[in-house]
Amino acid sequence: MDFENYLMSHSLKWQRRIISLFFMLAGMMFLSEIAVFLVFIFSGTLDVSYAEYILLRIVLPMGINYSALFAARHIVRKTDWSYKSKELAVAYLSVLVSSTPAIFHNYFRIFLVAFIVPFLMNSIFGDSKLLKKVIPPTIPLMLISFVSMWFDKSSVNKAEVALNIFCTLIFVYTTYYFARKLVKGQAENLRNIVDSYKRQEELIQELKIEPLTHLYNRAAYKETVTKLCQRASKGENQFNPVAAIIDLDHFKNVNDTYGHLAGDEILVTLACIIKSHMGSSRNAFRYGGEEFVLFFENCTEDDVYKKISRILSDFSATEFDFAPKVHFTFSAGICTYKAGFTADEWFNNTDALLYKAKSSGRNTITRAS
């Protein structure tokens, strides 16, 4: 997992959480508005008609909130949108839902602090650019709230209203500045998490590498062959991987005649030739001793036969300083995965073809078909 993938996973998780949180918040706001309405009725302090209050203080804000919530949830669920676009939709949602109490219930001055919520909420994503994008929709909504509060019938003391507006502006700016610091810290934490994860993955990979040839080892082979069998058994897009087992000819004689260092040089050389023909070592394994296992995921058996033949040709043509006139060879067996094979059955069938090549005089490649 690279840093961008981790950020996407982190972002999508929090997008869903924030939308769920705002659904709950919108429900609480609705119940609060009903409660306030009832208090005004029983206290006799309602200065507008029932219909006007219900429309302006309950129906309209709830209509805005839930329209925005359902729209944002629809966007987050879309698969053809980037996670950054979804972040922006959630950010604008937080601005809109947070602003409705300040605009439609401005007789409660405390609701002005709702304008800080989007900055704190969106700092979770660890993106300073997203915070800046929250500012443009916040400013006009704040102005609407201020104008609505200024001309509200209950706002008799204009000096008090002006002081509330001034304090709100200071509070919002301070929160934005604080949120930027949070974002910086959040970004550093995310980077540290990903770096730690990558280092852990590197250590895991190192444990799977055979130190002499730098091909994957037998433990890695078991993990890979299990996955390939699972994919093939599910019939994934007619997935029919091909296995090849390579075994050096007369390798014991090489060690006995030229020494183990010479034997190691031959193994390393063959591994390099294998990697050069396969493009990478992802599906190349030193199974043990002088035996190698190769997997081919998008090749026919004929294609694999040609690849192994080229590897054999290059290897047998290689000259070694300790034996300049000797041409070393290997034998190989090739077998395509068949429906119902277990990992052991696949290996044993391929291994049987290898030994058929050995018994045919070595320096030979045998395949099932």
Side-chain angles (χ1 to χ4, degrees):
M1 180 188 293
D2 58 23
F3 186 59
E4 188 67 18
N5 286 335
Y6 182 84
L7 282 181
M8 181 172 65
S9 174
H10 174 271
S11 173
L12 293 175
K13 176 179 67 177
W14 275 106
Q15 287 169 27
R16 292 189 291 267
R17 287 181 177 178
I18 289 173
I19 289 176
S20 297
L21 177 63
F22 274 109
F23 263 109
M24 182 178 68
L25 180 61
M28 292 173 62
M29 288 169 57
F30 175 72
L31 294 176
S32 300
E33 287 162 347
I34 297 296
V36 171
F37 177 53
L38 294 175
V39 169
F40 281 155
I41 291 176
F42 290 117
S43 64
T45 55
L46 190 64
D47 55 357
V48 296
S49 67
Y50 290 174
E52 183 180 348
Y53 186 93
I54 291 172
L55 176 63
L56 294 179
R57 308 295 190 182
I58 299 177
V59 175
L60 191 55
M62 285 301 98
I64 293 172
N65 284 347
Y66 280 104
S67 296
L69 281 165
F70 282 112
R73 188 169 68 175
H74 175 71
I75 290 172
V76 167
R77 289 177 174 177
K78 290 179 72 68
T79 57
D80 55 340
W81 283 47
S82 69
Y83 81 93
K84 286 293 185 183
S85 299
K86 295 177 181 180
E87 276 183 359
L88 189 60
V90 172
Y92 286 167
L93 162 73
S94 66
V95 173
L96 192 58
V97 176
S98 300
S99 300
T100 52
I103 293 173
F104 293 98
H105 296 280
N106 48 54
Y107 43 80
F108 293 121
R109 304 292 188 252
I110 189 64
F111 283 156
L112 290 173
V113 301
F115 289 110
I116 71 171
V117 172
F119 297 109
L120 294 176
M121 189 69 71
N122 289 289
S123 64
I124 291 171
F125 296 120
D127 187 349
S128 58
K129 293 181 180 179
L130 184 65
L131 273 185
K132 292 179 180 179
K133 292 177 181 178
V134 171
I135 296 175
T138 299
I139 292 175
L141 290 172
M142 286 178 62
L143 292 175
I144 293 172
S145 176
F146 294 159
V147 171
S148 176
M149 185 171 59
W150 185 269
F151 291 104
D152 190 83
K153 296 176 183 178
S154 63
S155 302
V156 178
N157 190 337
K158 298 304 181 185
E160 179 188 346
V161 174
L163 185 60
N164 274 283
I165 292 174
F166 176 76
C167 291
T168 299
L169 291 171
I170 296 298
F171 199 27
V172 169
Y173 174 78
T174 303
T175 304
Y176 170 71
Y177 180 79
F178 177 67
R180 289 192 63 181
K181 296 297 182 182
L182 283 178
V183 165
K184 184 178 180 180
Q186 175 79 336
E188 291 175 355
N189 287 337
L190 290 174
R191 174 64 71 179
N192 289 336
I193 290 171
V194 172
D195 287 345
S196 176
Y197 175 86
K198 289 173 68 176
R199 180 55 185 157
Q200 185 180 19
E201 283 291 298
E202 289 170 0
L203 291 174
I204 292 173
Q205 290 303 314
E206 287 175 9
L207 292 174
K208 295 179 181 179
I209 297 296
E210 193 275 314
L212 177 64
T213 62
H214 292 165
L215 297 180
Y216 284 106
N217 59 25
R218 190 164 180 168
Y221 157 81
K222 290 180 179 179
E223 181 181 317
T224 299
V225 73
T226 299
K227 291 179 180 178
L228 290 174
C229 287
Q230 288 173 346
R231 287 178 60 190
S233 63
K234 292 177 182 177
E236 181 183 311
N237 297 325
Q238 297 183 336
F239 180 65
N240 296 303
V242 181
I245 301 179
I246 290 173
D247 190 274
L248 287 165
D249 296 329
H250 305 294
F251 190 67
K252 184 178 183 303
N253 292 339
V254 172
N255 285 328
D256 293 343
T257 303
Y258 303 105
H260 288 281
L261 289 179
D264 287 349
E265 185 178 343
I266 289 176
L267 290 170
V268 171
T269 300
L270 177 56
C272 291
I273 294 172
I274 288 172
K275 283 187 282 188
S276 68
H277 282 276
M278 295 190 71
S280 73
S281 60
R282 185 171 67 91
N283 280 337
F285 306 85
R286 184 184 179 192
Y287 189 79
E290 69 273 23
E291 197 168 41
F292 299 81
V293 178
L294 314 180
F295 291 117
F296 300 85
E297 299 184 27
N298 299 301
C299 294
T300 65
E301 201 168 283
D302 287 340
D303 294 332
V304 174
Y305 184 86
K306 292 175 183 177
K307 287 178 182 289
I308 301 300
S309 296
R310 287 194 289 269
I311 292 173
L312 176 57
S313 176
D314 287 354
F315 177 65
S316 62
T318 302
E319 293 186 357
F320 296 90
D321 292 339
F322 58 84
K325 296 182 179 180
V326 178
H327 296 283
F328 298 99
T329 61
F330 63 73
S331 302
I334 298 172
C335 181
T336 304
Y337 178 90
K338 298 293 189 297
F341 268 0
T342 64
D344 288 341
E345 288 172 338
W346 190 16
F347 178 88
N348 290 336
N349 275 269
T350 313
D351 201 40
L353 291 166
L354 164 66
Y355 279 94
K356 185 177 179 181
K358 289 277 190 183
S359 62
S360 298
R362 296 182 171 81
N363 191 22
T364 304
I365 303 167
T366 305
R367 51 182 172 169
S369 56

